[in-house]
């Protein structure tokens, strides 16, 4: 590492400042005042817009009467991951975007912050509102320890199921623990939330990878020899039903020369590294992030906050086509990120380590099948971007090969697992699925909603079997 | 600019009708002078009498939706300062502010010579008038003073008469609202020779109880006592009591209005019901003397707008519009009307009307039609439940995934999700339904069934969205009293 002078590191104190809460919590009085603004709409649109259908006016009114206990319970009843959702939900396009106040020329009610207020209350006293149901003798396995599985397991446990979560990583929580920007959610808080699920009697087998019968695991990296594993076949034998909540696979490759040079990393590994190793994570002085989605923004802002002097996002389409949410783009701009629009990287140069990125300029041609105008290279427009680090962020793969180990499991062309709309059952009746692996990558709250609904699908199916 | 000056009871002159009520804000000469500098036209001095001892912890209040002190409660007694200090300071204030009104509030033992003595001493200080405190509802009443006098017309008349035997300046009687008929007390004061009335004093109250230690507030070493209630919450009660005094043909002496006044609008309302001056306490205890600036400014702008040159031009004008219920026209009909362009779709009017009024505001496609008369009657007879009346909580079935900027009306690229395509359904190919559009949340009114109660209009958070529109019933004006008369005539 010492041989790479163009890398920087920050102190623990700087880390804490740079990654402190994006939206600081409301104080007691501010929460009551904000809660009192809520109109208490009938059949409220905010509740409809929340994928888990938290009864928003109900929990807000309880804050207004200082019944924070009841408020927390109302939230957790609908969404066992209410604490992380309060911090990570893109509320502008969910509950707050639907708030009637938007039509009133007023700021929408700060639902996310109020939800956080009630959830902080719950976390301060390790509040456990629910208990396991009477054991019904049925067993369910959940593959993956992310939001989808956690929600599914919590729901099933309350109905009396004996549930085991298999997670290949050392900690549960999925991307909540390893992927969400640190200034939104810390791994500590994400893991604490999984305790609420453990409290319901759900068993966690962390560090255990589920493999197909041939032994292929989900990741490219070979599991360490000590890592335990369990196969689909074994799960099928031991459990009445299996829930697939494995999320998405690795970051897509750029498929350009130079990708294997030192200093070229993928966004997810980079994010996981800084979240787990904190100040030990070194970042290039000049960083180029390739892609312009929400994950790319997360990687870029993280690089900037880790001390990179110059961070740019390189995207082959224009600002208008940028897939990141508007407020994520705003955040990137506030963090001083530069943007190279209409720029296509074609090669990464360097001896052992990245030195520069060769790019061509693009222009927008005719619309493609997604309706976005297709970028086309401008002839003889080659140029270079000097950089010490390249972060790839072109989206994630689906777990193709691995899932072939499940018999008769139908998947869409793009690799997503297909499920029944109502029951979340897959084409193999023993398997149900939810979260990123069925929707191709949406939000935590969508995964929670899927997991919850799948739990009821599983319950219905097992009951039907008698 | 309008002339705000007034003359109360022929003798008390004041540059404007805004007086400070007898209370902590008028406890000393220092405070009253600061108040006059801020713009107050007059001050009724904190009640003077034999100095008392107060408890510490004296106030408590009710907050409403995060706003502090909607209602205010105190267990304080009269002035705790020696009589001579108060009188000397009145003298000094009058010397510095000869054109402002200074009125001394008095309360002493119910003995003729004691009253004679205090009145003479007080008038020597140069006060413009006297206000007899027959209203204080706690502490003093237990010693036979304050509301103990104000609740018994005979006492009230007797003591007023004693004071009038020696008083040179106008005598105002401050009334307690803790009576069944305030006009009866007002008449007694008039018989005793009062030159004016001040109303209302505070209302008996217990504001709240600490749900942790179960002690009512304010707490004095683990105990509490009932206090006197005031502040914005009491304004409607005060307005009604004031109108009972100003409407009474036997009374007809000037009234100084008190109770929950915080703004120029409040003040204008008291004056429209006949008050010559108004007095303020809680609002200045909340915000300080500077509050009067907007009271003066707002009132005079309103008067200019309405073409009123002096206070007398509009004083009492609303009294003619007060009548008994029996004189109201029963053939006047209004119905609610919703402006769909202004409606934000909160559906509060719908649920208010549905649950608590007349089931006549509907939402398109909600399957909630008003139960027919037959259905209602059937339900009353427990024969069958009303067919269309859903008793279950409406389960939101719509899903977020169709949300775009357009259909939830937000700015920014709200449509972009981490990955655009929705989940691939196994069997069906329908996408999740988009969330409710605002347009199909706009309710409509069944005008036939609407009784024009105003509830939806009061509930609606959007100004001007629901209006109550008059409909022509084609029937002549007829009040209950007229109808009784007509019916008795036809019976004859
Ligand atoms: C960088 C980034 C930032 C994000 N930011 C936000 C945000 O701010 N707000 C928001 O709402 N959403 C955000 N998301 C999306 C959100 O994290 C996901 O939608 C959500 O975590 C999906 O939950 P899941 O349970 O489906 O999958 P995951 O959270 O991915 O969990 C899947 C789990 O399964 C485990 N697993 C996989 N295969 C196996 C196997 N074979 N055996 C055992 N375990 C296995 C994985 O290790 C993982 O822990 C972000 C995503 C990324 C990538
Ligand atoms: C529109 C309306 C009509 C009322 N009608 C009656 C009535 O007929 N009989 C009665 O005893 N009280 C009546 N009340 C008084 C209420 O029963 C209740 O005592 C009062 O509203 C105070 O309670 P609250 O303010 O806490 O709701 C009525 C109140 C309202 C608002
Ligand atoms: S879970 Fe997310 S979308 Fe639902 S109400 Fe809470 S913050 Fe809003
Ligand atoms: S839409 Fe807004 S105002 Fe209405 S209940 Fe929801 S948060 Fe409250
Ligand atoms: S209360 Fe007003 S804004 Fe709300 S639905 Fe009714 S008419 Fe619309």
């Amino acid at each position: 590492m010492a041989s790479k002078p163009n890398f920087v590191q920050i102190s623990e104190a700087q880390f804490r400042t740079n990654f402190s809460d994006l939206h600081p919590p409301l104080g007691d009085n501010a929460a009551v005042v904000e809660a009192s603004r809520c109109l208490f709409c009938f059949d409220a649109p905010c509740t409809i817009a929340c994928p888990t259908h938290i009864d928003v006016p109900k929990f807000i009114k309880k804050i207004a009467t200082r019944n924070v206990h009841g408020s927390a319970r109302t939230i957790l009843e609908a969404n066992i991951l209410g604490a992380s959702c309060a911090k990570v939900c893109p509320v502008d396009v969910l509950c707050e975007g639907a708030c009637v106040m938007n039509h009133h020329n007023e700021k929408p009610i700060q639902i996310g912050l109020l939800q956080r207020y009630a959830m902080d209350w719950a976390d301060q006293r390790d509040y456990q509102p629910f208990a396991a149901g009477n054991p019904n003798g049925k067993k369910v396995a959940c593959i993956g320890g992310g939001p989808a599985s956690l929600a599914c397991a919590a729901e099933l446990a309350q109905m009396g199921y004996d549930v085991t979560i298999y997670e290949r990583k050392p900690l549960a929580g999925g991307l909540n623990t390893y992927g969400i920007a640190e200034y939104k959610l810390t791994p500590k808080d994400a893991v604490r939330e999984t305790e609420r699920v453990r409290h319901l009697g759900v068993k966690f087998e962390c560090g255990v990878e589920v493999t197909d019968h041939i032994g292929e695991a989900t990741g490219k990296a070979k599991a360490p020899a000590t890592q335990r594993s369990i196969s689909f076949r074994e799960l099928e034998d031991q459990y009445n039903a299996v829930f697939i909540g494995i999320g998405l696979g690795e970051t897509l490759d750029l498929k350009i020369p130079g990708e294997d040079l030192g200093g070229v990393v993928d966004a997810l590994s980079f994010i996981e590294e800084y979240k787990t190793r904190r100040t030990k994570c070194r970042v290039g002085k000049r960083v180029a992030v390739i892609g312009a989605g929400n994950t790319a923004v997360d990687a870029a802002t993280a690089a900037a906050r880790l001390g990179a002097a110059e961070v740019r996002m390189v995207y082959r389409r224009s600002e208008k086509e940028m897939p990141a949410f508007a407020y994520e783009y705003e955040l990137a701009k506030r963090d001083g990120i530069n943007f190279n629009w209409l720029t296509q990287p074609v090669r990464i140069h360097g001896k052992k380590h990245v030195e520069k990125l060769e790019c061509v300029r693009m222009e927008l041609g005719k619309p493609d099948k997604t309706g976005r105008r297709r970028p086309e290279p401008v002839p003889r427009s080659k140029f270079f971007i000097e950089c010490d680090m390249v972060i790839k962020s072109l989206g994630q793969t689906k777990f193709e090969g691995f899932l072939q180990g499940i018999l008769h499991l139908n998947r869409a062309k793009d690799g997503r697992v297909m499920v029944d709309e109502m029951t979340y059952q897959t084409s193999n009746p023993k398997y149900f699925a939810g979260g990123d692996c069925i929707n191709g990558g949406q939000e935590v709250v969508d995964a929670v909603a899927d997991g919850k609904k799948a739990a009821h699908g599983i319950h219905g199916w097992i009951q039907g079997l008698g | 600019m309008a002339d705000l000056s007034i003359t109360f009871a022929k003798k008390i002159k004041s540059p404007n009708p805004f007086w400070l009520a007898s209370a902590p804000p008028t406890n000393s000469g220092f405070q009253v002078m600061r108040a006059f500098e801020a713009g107050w036209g007059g001050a009724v001095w904190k009640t003077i009498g034999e100095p008392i001892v107060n408890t510490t912890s004296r106030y408590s209040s009710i907050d409403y939706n995060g706003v502090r002190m909607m209602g205010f409660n105190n267990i304080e007694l009269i002035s705790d300062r020696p009589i001579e200090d108060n009188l000397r300071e009145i003298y000094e204030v009058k010397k510095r502010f000869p054109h402002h009104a200074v009125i001394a509030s008095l309360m002493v033992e119910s003995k003729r010579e004691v009253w004679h003595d205090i009145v003479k001493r007080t008038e020597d200080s140069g006060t413009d008038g006297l206000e007899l405190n027959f209203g204080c509802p706690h502490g003093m009443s237990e010693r036979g003073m304050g509301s103990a006098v104000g609740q018994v017309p005979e006492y009230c008349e007797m003591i007023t008469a004693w004071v009038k035997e020696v008083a040179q300046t106008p005598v105002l009687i401050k009334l307690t609202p803790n009576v069944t008929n305030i006009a009866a007390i007002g008449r007694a004061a008039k018989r005793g020779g009062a030159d004016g009335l001040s109303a209302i004093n505070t209302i008996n109250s217990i504001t709240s109880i600490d749900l942790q230690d179960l002690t009512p507030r304010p707490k004095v070493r683990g105990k509490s006592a009932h206090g006197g209630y005031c502040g914005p919450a009491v304004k409607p009660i005060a307005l009604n009591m004031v109108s009972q005094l100003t409407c009474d043909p036997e009374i007809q002496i000037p009234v100084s209005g008190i109770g929950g006044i915080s703004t120029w609008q409040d003040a204008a309302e008291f004056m429209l019901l006949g008050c010559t001056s108004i007095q303020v306490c809680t609002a200045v205890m909340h915000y300080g003397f500077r509050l009067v600036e907007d009271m003066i400014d707002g009132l005079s702008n309103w008067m200019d707008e309405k073409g009123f040159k002096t206070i007398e031009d509009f004083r009492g004008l609303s009294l003619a519009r007060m009548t008994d219920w029996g004189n109201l026209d029963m053939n006047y009909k209004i119905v609610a009307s919703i402006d769909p362009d202004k409606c934000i779709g909160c559906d509060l009017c719908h649920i208010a009307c549905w649950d608590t009024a007349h089931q006549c505001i509907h939402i398109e496609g909600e399957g909630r039609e008003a139960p027919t008369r037959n259905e209602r009657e059937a339900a009353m007879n427990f024969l069958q439940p009303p067919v269309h009346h859903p008793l279950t909580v409406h389960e939101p079935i719509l899903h977020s995934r169709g949300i775009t900027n357009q259909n939830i009306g937000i700015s920014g690229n709200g449509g972009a999700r981490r990955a655009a395509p929705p989940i691939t359904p196994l069997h069906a190919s329908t996408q999740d339904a988009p969330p409710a559009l605002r347009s199909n949340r706009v309710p409509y009114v069944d005008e036939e069934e609407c009784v024009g109660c105003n509830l939806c209009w009061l509930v609606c958070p959007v100004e001007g969205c629901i209006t109550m529109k008059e409909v022509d019933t084609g029937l002549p004006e007829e009040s209950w009293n007229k109808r009784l008369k007509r019916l008795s005539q036809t019976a004859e």
Side-chain angles (χ1 to χ4, degrees):
Chain A
M1 285 269 165
S3 65
K4 290 175 208 157
N6 275 343
F7 271 62
V8 287
Q9 245 175 312
I10 55 171
S11 69
E12 178 61 29
Q14 276 174 313
F15 189 96
R16 262 191 246 136
T17 317
N18 292 0
F19 290 96
S20 61
D21 267 333
L22 192 58
H23 304 290
L26 295 170
D28 290 338
N29 205 51
V32 170
V33 171
E34 183 63 12
S36 303
R37 280 181 61 220
C38 168
L39 298 172
F40 202 52
C41 295
F42 173 71
D43 193 8
C46 48
T47 292
I48 298 172
C50 170
T52 59
H53 302 319
I54 292 178
D55 192 332
V56 174
K58 183 167 160 188
F59 94 70
I60 289 183
K61 257 294 178 285
K62 288 178 192 290
I63 293 176
T65 69
R66 296 188 195 257
N67 176 9
V68 191
H69 180 162
S71 179
R73 192 187 170 94
T74 303
I75 294 163
L76 292 169
E77 258 166 16
N79 183 338
I80 193 79
L81 299 194
S84 56
C85 283
K87 294 178 178 170
V88 310
C89 271
V91 288
D92 294 22
V93 297
L94 295 171
C95 51
E96 292 184 18
C99 175
V100 298
M101 288 295 190
N102 290 300
H103 306 301
H104 204 354
N105 295 332
E106 274 187 44
K107 260 181 59 188
I109 305 302
Q110 297 185 53
I111 302 169
L113 275 178
L114 287 169
Q115 181 170 321
R116 170 165 181 192
Y117 176 77
M119 291 294 92
D120 283 351
W121 177 95
D123 286 342
Q124 277 151 19
R125 37 187 71 57
D126 191 24
Y127 174 59
Q128 306 294 354
F130 315 117
N134 283 336
N136 63 9
K138 307 283 186 204
K139 292 172 72 181
V140 178
C142 295
I143 313 178
S149 285
L150 290 168
C152 182
E155 202 76 5
L156 287 170
Q158 290 175 70
M159 294 190 266
Y161 287 84
D162 178 355
V163 190
T164 307
I165 287 180
Y166 291 94
E167 167 59 56
R168 60 179 170 163
K169 294 246 161 81
L171 296 172
L175 288 172
N176 264 1
T177 304
Y178 293 104
I180 305 267
E182 186 77 7
Y183 44 77
K184 291 186 192 163
L185 185 66
T186 64
K188 194 167 140 246
D189 287 339
V191 170
R192 177 176 33 210
E193 193 170 39
T194 67
E195 289 305 308
R196 208 162 261 137
V197 180
R198 199 187 294 272
H199 175 84
L200 296 170
V202 172
K203 285 173 261 179
F204 284 76
E205 292 286 349
C206 289
V208 178
E209 173 134 26
V210 177
T211 55
D212 71 5
H213 63 287
I214 321 160
E216 190 195 338
T218 46
K220 273 189 209 161
K222 277 283 152 275
T226 50
Q227 175 124 11
R228 291 174 294 148
S229 68
I230 187 166
S231 70
F232 289 135
R233 198 60 57 73
E234 288 168 286
L235 291 182
E236 285 168 25
D237 289 345
Q238 294 170 24
Y239 295 92
N240 298 81
V242 181
F243 176 76
I244 309 171
I246 55 174
L248 295 176
E250 309 218 314
T251 305
L252 288 163
D253 286 335
L254 298 173
K255 301 200 175 79
I256 58 174
E259 207 166 341
D260 44 7
L261 284 172
V264 181
V265 297
D266 75 85
L268 284 185
S269 316
F270 169 67
I271 291 169
E272 179 171 336
E273 191 192 334
Y274 94 80
K275 281 179 70 79
T276 48
R277 301 184 62 228
R278 297 168 71 88
T279 56
K280 291 196 203 78
C281 173
R282 295 153 65 96
V283 67
K285 266 202 180 136
R286 297 161 305 173
V287 178
V289 178
I290 299 171
N294 291 312
T295 300
V297 170
D298 283 0
T301 55
R305 287 160 193 248
L306 284 166
E310 181 192 290
V311 182
R312 56 182 65 250
M313 292 176 70
V314 179
Y315 183 49
R316 65 195 179 116
R317 299 178 196 256
S318 73
E319 187 176 3
K320 250 179 41 211
E321 286 83 19
M322 181 187 198
F325 292 130
Y327 63 88
E328 295 280 9
Y329 179 33
E330 285 307 312
L331 184 68
K333 285 196 276 193
R334 261 188 285 147
D335 277 9
I337 312 295
N338 303 306
F339 299 89
N340 282 88
W341 306 114
L342 292 167
T343 302
Q344 172 90 57
V346 291
R347 184 185 197 102
I348 307 171
H349 294 271
K351 290 194 192 77
K352 280 168 76 182
H353 196 85
V354 53
E355 286 164 19
K356 58 189 174 191
L357 190 62
E358 180 182 330
C359 304
V360 289
R361 296 215 186 283
M362 308 294 275
E363 60 191 4
L364 292 178
K366 295 214 170 62
D368 63 13
K369 47 182 194 309
T370 66
R372 297 186 299 180
R373 289 171 66 195
R374 187 197 298 278
E376 282 153 11
V378 178
R380 289 187 299 283
S381 62
K382 186 170 91 179
F383 71 104
F384 294 94
I385 296 171
E386 310 263 326
C387 56
D388 311 300
M389 189 176 188
V390 170
I391 301 176
K392 306 183 277 183
S393 187
L394 295 184
Q396 290 166 260
T397 59
K398 321 282 184 307
F399 288 130
E400 310 265 351
F402 161 65
L403 288 170
Q404 280 165 14
I406 302 173
L407 281 178
H408 308 302
L409 187 78
N410 287 357
R411 274 170 301 127
K413 275 208 200 74
D414 62 6
R416 288 178 291 156
V417 178
M418 291 170 84
V419 294
D420 179 276
E421 266 196 327
M422 301 303 292
T423 63
Y424 286 64
Q425 191 166 35
T426 68
S427 47
N428 177 332
K430 198 152 192 177
Y431 286 88
F432 293 72
D436 279 1
C437 69
I438 67 162
N439 62 35
Q442 290 197 342
E443 313 305 322
V444 172
V445 66
D446 295 292
V448 173
D450 287 350
K452 226 173 70 170
K453 285 186 257 182
H456 291 279
I458 291 170
H459 181 58
W461 180 68
I462 289 182
Q463 274 187 322
L465 294 179
Chain B
M1 197 185 121
D3 175 8
L4 297 189
S5 68
I6 56 158
T7 304
F8 192 99
K10 298 199 181 82
K11 284 188 182 160
I12 306 175
K13 292 198 187 303
S14 173
N16 64 48
F18 303 115
W19 296 356
L20 288 174
S22 174
T26 58
N27 204 33
S28 67
F30 170 75
Q31 289 165 284
V32 173
M33 286 193 271
R34 273 175 52 81
F36 287 167
E37 270 159 18
W40 291 91
V44 184
W45 211 270
K46 171 78 186 171
T47 303
I48 303 167
E50 282 310 318
I52 50 73
V53 180
N54 273 313
T55 57
T56 71
S57 180
R58 306 172 198 174
Y59 307 148
S60 58
S61 75
I62 300 282
D63 303 339
Y64 191 68
N65 278 358
V67 176
R68 303 285 271 162
M69 282 167 61
M70 176 207 68
F72 191 79
N73 170 76
N74 81 87
I75 56 168
E76 194 173 281
L77 307 182
I78 63 172
S79 178
D80 55 4
R81 306 175 66 224
I83 296 176
E84 48 281 13
D85 289 7
N86 281 312
L87 298 182
R88 192 183 57 248
E89 287 174 21
I90 290 178
Y91 173 77
E92 279 159 16
V93 172
K94 267 316 288 184
K95 211 164 71 183
R96 287 220 8 220
F97 293 91
H99 304 300
H100 286 63
V102 177
I103 292 144
S105 168
L106 302 176
M107 183 196 291
V108 290
E109 254 183 289
S110 299
K111 289 197 181 123
R112 189 175 188 177
E113 53 281 19
V114 179
W115 274 106
H116 281 181
D117 178 58
I118 189 77
V119 167
K120 286 184 201 147
R121 281 169 71 190
T122 305
E123 288 193 332
D124 286 345
S125 72
T127 177
D128 297 298
L130 305 171
E131 185 182 88
L132 313 190
N133 180 347
F134 293 170
C136 188
H138 46 77
M140 304 312 289
S141 50
E142 292 150 25
R143 305 172 199 186
M145 295 180 256
S147 62
V149 176
Q151 285 167 334
V152 185
E154 294 74 20
Y155 291 171
C156 175
E157 179 178 345
M158 178 175 76
I159 295 176
T160 309
W162 290 343
V163 169
K164 283 300 287 181
E165 284 164 6
V166 292
Q168 305 291 311
T169 59
V171 175
L172 284 67
I173 308 300
K174 184 160 179 182
L175 301 180
T176 175
N178 300 311
V179 292
T180 40
N181 180 3
I182 198 166
I185 315 290
R187 283 180 220 128
K190 168 92 181 276
R191 283 195 299 276
D195 302 290
L197 300 172
S198 301
I200 59 174
N201 208 313
T202 56
I203 305 173
N204 286 337
S205 65
I206 296 172
T207 37
S208 65
I209 295 174
D210 183 330
L211 294 180
Q212 295 310 319
D213 66 14
L214 314 189
T215 312
R217 299 182 177 101
K219 302 178 204 174
V220 182
R221 202 185 292 286
K223 290 228 162 58
S224 192
H226 84 266
Y229 200 45
C230 51
V234 310
K235 188 190 89 172
I237 298 168
L239 276 177
N240 178 52
M241 291 200 155
V242 159
S243 83
Q244 287 178 322
L245 299 172
T246 52
C247 282
D248 194 290
E250 277 183 45
I251 298 179
Q252 300 308 312
I253 50 175
V255 175
S256 185
I258 317 170
I261 298 169
S262 325
T263 65
W264 63 268
Q265 288 107 320
D266 298 335
E269 288 166 14
F270 276 82
M271 290 188 272
L272 283 165
L273 288 180
C275 293
T276 306
S277 75
I278 61 90
Q279 301 181 27
V280 177
C281 169
T282 305
V284 288
M285 289 181 74
H286 199 163
Y287 299 111
F289 296 136
R290 63 202 162 120
L291 207 67
V292 77
E293 189 278 330
D294 184 60
M295 292 183 133
I296 296 171
D297 188 45
L299 185 71
S300 82
N301 288 342
W302 172 75
M303 285 170 65
D304 289 348
E305 233 170 74
K306 301 294 280 181
F308 299 131
K309 299 212 159 43
T310 67
I311 301 286
E312 284 306 308
D313 284 355
F314 70 92
R315 195 175 65 80
L317 285 190
S318 296
L319 285 173
R321 292 171 179 265
M322 285 295 296
T323 181
D324 290 335
W325 191 92
N327 296 326
L328 299 177
D329 180 11
M330 296 191 301
N331 287 337
Y332 171 70
K333 179 163 174 160
I334 54 172
V335 294
S337 159
I338 296 172
D339 179 346
D341 291 335
K342 288 192 177 146
C343 174
I344 60 173
C346 69
D347 292 352
L348 288 174
C349 56
H350 160 72
I351 199 61
C353 186
W354 188 267
D355 280 356
T356 69
H358 294 265
Q359 298 81 43
C360 55
I361 299 186
H362 309 293
I363 303 171
E364 198 95 49
E366 192 70 1
R368 286 164 182 275
E369 283 164 37
T372 62
R373 290 253 142 77
N374 283 344
E375 284 163 357
R376 276 187 228 213
E377 275 159 28
M380 289 307 292
N381 296 330
F382 301 103
L383 294 176
Q384 62 178 95
V387 182
H388 297 298
H389 194 153
L391 293 173
T392 53
V393 177
H394 184 80
E395 169 70 30
I397 42 158
L398 299 166
H399 209 282
S400 74
R401 283 206 185 81
I403 293 191
T404 66
N405 317 0
Q406 290 77 22
N407 63 16
I408 55 176
I410 56 171
S411 54
N413 69 339
R417 306 298 304 269
R418 218 155 269 277
I423 56 167
T424 312
L426 189 58
H427 308 302
S429 61
T430 53
Q431 288 196 1
D432 285 317
L437 302 184
R438 175 162 66 118
S439 59
N440 59 29
R441 293 184 59 90
V442 175
Y444 63 93
V445 180
D446 177 349
E447 295 192 358
E448 286 301 305
E449 290 292 323
C450 174
V451 300
C453 71
N454 284 355
L455 179 63
C456 56
W457 169 55
L458 297 174
V459 152
C460 180
V462 183
E463 206 174 331
C465 175
I466 295 186
T467 38
M468 302 305 296
K469 293 218 163 91
E470 185 168 355
V471 281
D472 189 3
T473 50
L475 298 169
E477 183 180 340
E478 187 178 53
S479 68
W480 177 247
N481 292 343
K482 269 195 195 156
R483 181 177 297 181
L484 283 187
K485 216 171 176 184
R486 174 167 61 84
L487 291 178
S488 64
Q489 276 163 0
T490 46
E492 271 161 22

